[in-house]
Amino acid sequence: MPNWRSLKSNVFIVLVVILALIAIAPVFHIIIYITLRGLPVILEAGIEFFISTPAAVIAEKPGGIAPAIVGTLFMTTMATIIAVPIAVLAATFSAEYPNHIITKAVRATSRSLLEVATILVGMLVFALIVLPLGRFTGLAGAIALAIVMIPYVYTYTELALLSVPKTYIEAGYSIGLKKAQVIYLVTLRIARRGVMRGVTIGVAKAMGETAPLLFTAFGARNVIFGGPLEPMDAIPLMIFQFIQTGFENWNKLAWGGAFVLLVLYLTLFIISRRIVREVRV
Amino acid sequence: MKYGRKSLHDKIVFYSLAIPAIIIALILLLLLLTQTSLSIPIFNVQGVTSTYISTTWRPSYEPPPTGAWYGLLPAIWGTLTSAIIAVLLALPLSLSVVIFVEEILPRRFREYISAIIDLMAGMPTILFGIWGLSFLGPILQAYVMTPLHEYLGFIPVFSCKPLAPATVLTAGVLLSLMIFPFMVVVIQETYRAIPITYKEAGWSLGLTMYEYVKLNMSMISPAIVSAILLGFGRASSETAAVTLVVGNAYNIGFCILSPAYTISSLIANQFTESGDFPYMQNALFAGGLILLIIGLIVNTIGIIILRRLRF
């Protein structure tokens, strides 16, 4: 007599394994596919790809994506400079005063911001900065990215700070350190890897964002860097705009840009994993 | 004296930490205020209800209601349908990954799978988008959507001919790949929190793997509901990737093989030019407002359900 229970269970196991593999396979395909389409573009264009502006759509060579690379570096750096101090100080507040009403408000906000559509952040910055200034600017893009980055840095920092053993903090106070000294010399020191991890993940997130930049930085194809108060390009923005055109040259640039973005992302991802491993040791 | 000085110091620390915290707390409030106040003009000329339930999108230099008309229902519908498809597909995927990692895979390989899940969760969404546009969409059109229409076309959801690779279904499938890593994390964390004694009790009854997993999953069913809600929230708020694969046509209907708009793709595509038409930008802010409200409600419920679950 066949054992229906174990047969059912075996079918179930096979199904689970197949579905799990189906779920995990696409990420490898995405990485390989982007590499196969993007890397040849970069190899063909050579250094041009990184230092020149996109060529005309009918030109023989596609040119480069220097405005997008410079824009991404500039806006991500600016966003980090804006977001990290605010997020780290706010997380310190939450860890120091865990039951304060402000802590509850900032926790709820941060959780919501992690989930809110990032295009809404773009609309907010458009309404508050682009409209009054009357123009799209790289600075507005950076502020939008900072808002995207803040909840990641905040969440990881708060987690790291809360995991600092209370005995270390008490030891700090017992040798006569003041609150600010305890926070700076003890708590943040011990938690610094957690903070770094949050920053790395936040940077990876901000760097890959498209939607918040659409109506803030807007994009600029022909100027490599026009200053923070001019429209600015970014790699994801360039990919988004160029892949939707029918021009072969611009499609090539989009694929090359996608490969660059992929490499940047994988680098940050590996760094963030390294940081965790070192914490455990 | 000494006490007084210390408390002044504490005050300074308090305020210098409180101000950044307040700035963050204000962002959400600012977001709600801006979206609401910039939506009000369109509500004044078209009415709240008719803005959200009308299916007409008619930009014009003449202001509504006589010239232009901005009804958001097709975009809301597109957001809901693509997000529902995404969750329906992502749920079996994420449950399978959790079972695979927790119960089938040898322990030493677990870290690799978590690394891959993390890698997917943080991947820039535009990379999913560009892959979806040039690989996934055409593949689905040729091998999934066309057969579905030919053999199951009598079912309303498959009744329209898939004329292009970019459709609601394509967006749903791509979104499912983007959201399942988040659902895995939510389900897995709770699955691991099931007390070992409960699990051992299951085995000691002589349950098969299927019965054992079913029992465990029933214990953490609130976490699964929460994962569904959080996944739905993610799927409905995604912009760049969806805009590339959803087709961007102002359609409404039950057929998922046709192109459509979502709220976020409508905003992404039309916001920049919307300043030229009276009230159009306000209509898009009204779209943003409903997206914000859907997102906040879904996520809050999801988090509350998850928090209540304790072993």
Side-chain angles (χ1 to χ4, degrees):
Chain A
M1 193 185 98
N3 185 342
W4 286 113
R5 279 177 65 214
S6 72
L7 184 69
K8 199 172 165 189
S9 184
N10 289 338
V11 171
F12 172 74
I13 291 172
V14 171
L15 199 69
V16 162
V17 173
I18 291 173
L19 281 175
L21 294 180
I22 288 176
I24 288 165
V27 71
F28 294 105
H29 190 261
I30 291 173
I31 292 172
I32 295 166
Y33 193 80
I34 289 174
T35 307
L36 288 180
R37 296 202 62 167
L39 191 56
V41 175
I42 299 174
L43 292 177
E44 200 187 312
I47 192 76
E48 280 287 293
F49 188 81
F50 299 97
I51 58 167
S52 59
T53 56
V57 290
I58 42 141
E60 237 171 79
K61 284 181 173 176
I65 59 161
I69 293 175
V70 172
T72 286
L73 291 179
F74 176 81
M75 286 190 285
T76 312
T77 311
M78 280 292 289
T80 313
I81 293 171
I82 300 167
V84 171
I86 295 179
V88 170
L89 290 175
T92 312
F93 183 91
S94 307
E96 287 291 320
Y97 310 96
N99 297 318
H100 200 281
I101 176 107
I102 297 175
T103 297
K104 283 174 186 149
V106 74
R107 268 190 200 143
T109 303
S110 164
R111 252 199 322 265
S112 308
L113 283 178
L114 280 177
E115 306 287 338
V116 151
T118 52
I119 196 158
L120 299 180
V121 173
M123 294 171 92
L124 173 71
V125 174
F126 174 85
L128 296 184
I129 293 165
V130 175
L131 274 185
L133 275 180
R135 64 195 309 176
F136 299 109
T137 61
L139 186 68
I143 292 171
L145 292 186
I147 296 177
V148 171
M149 198 188 283
I150 280 174
Y152 291 93
V153 182
Y154 171 84
T155 309
Y156 281 92
T157 304
E158 195 200 6
L159 220 64
L161 291 174
L162 288 175
S163 68
V164 173
K166 286 282 169 294
T167 46
Y168 287 81
I169 297 168
E170 281 160 10
Y173 284 119
S174 75
I175 58 169
L177 294 183
K178 288 180 171 180
K179 197 171 192 103
Q181 290 173 311
V182 171
I183 291 170
Y184 184 69
L185 295 171
V186 181
T187 329
L188 276 174
R189 277 295 153 85
I190 294 174
R192 66 183 183 279
R193 290 191 192 282
V195 179
M196 278 312 298
R197 177 155 199 242
V199 173
T200 316
I201 289 171
V203 168
K205 206 70 211 166
M207 178 195 73
E209 279 290 347
T210 315
L213 299 178
L214 287 169
F215 335 121
T216 53
F218 189 68
R221 277 164 207 169
N222 302 319
V223 186
I224 292 182
F225 185 75
L229 295 179
E230 292 293 325
M232 198 175 281
D233 210 355
I235 302 173
L237 201 54
M238 181 277 298
I239 299 172
F240 182 76
Q241 288 163 350
F242 278 11
I243 201 69
Q244 294 189 81
T245 67
F247 307 119
E248 205 195 328
N249 268 350
W250 283 3
N251 284 345
K252 278 185 174 175
L253 291 178
W255 284 108
F259 180 71
V260 173
L261 190 62
L262 179 67
V263 170
L264 287 174
Y265 170 64
L266 290 176
T267 311
L268 285 173
F269 180 77
I270 291 166
I271 292 173
S272 79
R273 302 286 298 185
R274 271 275 159 79
I275 294 171
V276 197
R277 207 170 296 157
E278 282 171 29
V279 173
R280 280 182 191 154
V281 168
Chain B
M1 177 68 189
K2 203 176 175 208
Y3 181 79
R5 270 174 63 193
K6 196 181 166 199
S7 88
L8 175 68
H9 169 87
D10 280 3
K11 261 186 191 162
I12 294 171
V13 172
F14 178 85
Y15 285 112
S16 53
L17 297 177
I19 290 165
I22 292 170
I23 292 176
I24 297 182
L26 283 179
I27 295 175
L28 187 64
L29 205 64
L30 222 52
L31 201 55
L32 267 167
L33 274 176
T34 314
Q35 294 287 345
T36 315
S37 62
L38 287 169
S39 305
I40 286 172
I42 191 79
F43 294 154
N44 284 339
V45 289
Q46 289 189 177
V48 179
T49 330
S50 48
T51 301
Y52 287 126
I53 64 164
S54 162
T55 58
T56 311
W57 185 263
R58 192 176 63 220
S60 161
Y61 291 107
E62 299 294 318
T66 47
W69 188 263
Y70 303 106
L72 289 164
L73 191 63
I76 297 171
W77 182 252
T79 296
L80 295 180
T81 45
S82 59
I84 288 170
I85 295 170
V87 170
L88 288 178
L89 294 173
L91 186 63
L93 293 183
S94 46
L95 287 174
S96 297
V97 170
V98 173
I99 299 165
F100 181 62
V101 171
E102 295 298 314
E103 303 295 350
I104 298 172
L105 202 66
R107 203 169 270 272
R108 63 176 184 280
F109 295 120
R110 282 187 189 176
E111 273 305 301
Y112 298 105
I113 303 289
S114 334
I116 294 167
I117 296 296
D118 279 359
L119 182 75
M120 284 188 96
M123 183 96 92
T125 55
I126 188 72
L127 299 181
F128 279 99
I130 192 173
W131 177 80
L133 176 71
S134 47
F135 175 78
L136 184 67
I139 292 285
L140 286 179
Q141 187 189 10
Y143 300 108
V144 177
M145 296 195 281
T146 306
L148 275 179
H149 171 67
E150 271 171 23
Y151 298 110
L152 299 171
F154 56 90
I155 305 172
V157 286
F158 303 130
S159 61
C160 51
K161 202 168 161 52
L163 298 169
T167 64
V168 178
L169 184 70
T170 313
V173 173
L174 187 65
L175 280 170
S176 73
L177 295 176
M178 298 169 70
I179 62 169
F180 94 82
F182 295 96
M183 297 171 68
V184 166
V185 172
V186 173
I187 299 170
Q188 192 171 28
E189 253 171 39
T190 320
Y191 194 91
R192 283 181 180 170
I194 298 177
I196 188 79
T197 46
Y198 291 20
K199 290 188 179 176
E200 283 170 348
W203 284 128
S204 73
L205 290 173
L207 298 182
T208 63
M209 176 67 93
Y210 170 70
E211 292 155 347
Y212 167 76
V213 166
K214 204 172 142 192
L215 178 69
N216 286 342
M217 286 301 171
S218 69
M219 282 191 252
I220 61 160
S221 55
I224 298 174
V225 175
S226 173
I228 289 172
L229 288 170
L230 294 174
F232 180 88
R234 287 256 163 192
S236 59
S237 61
E238 170 47 41
T239 307
V242 170
T243 307
L244 291 180
V245 299
V246 78
N248 302 315
Y250 219 64
N251 278 334
I252 184 162
F254 287 102
C255 182
I256 59 171
L257 304 180
S258 61
Y261 256 120
T262 65
I263 302 171
S264 56
S265 75
L266 181 72
I267 297 170
N269 271 325
Q270 310 228 348
F271 192 81
T272 316
E273 288 82 32
S274 66
D276 303 341
F277 301 97
Y279 293 99
M280 184 168 166
Q281 204 152 62
N282 303 111
L284 292 173
F285 271 103
L289 180 65
I290 193 82
L291 192 61
L292 182 63
I293 292 171
I294 293 175
L296 288 179
I297 291 176
V298 167
N299 287 307
T300 310
I301 297 175
I303 287 167
I304 290 173
I305 293 176
L306 196 60
R307 260 214 226 131
R308 277 209 189 145
L309 181 66
R310 287 274 180 276
F311 287 105

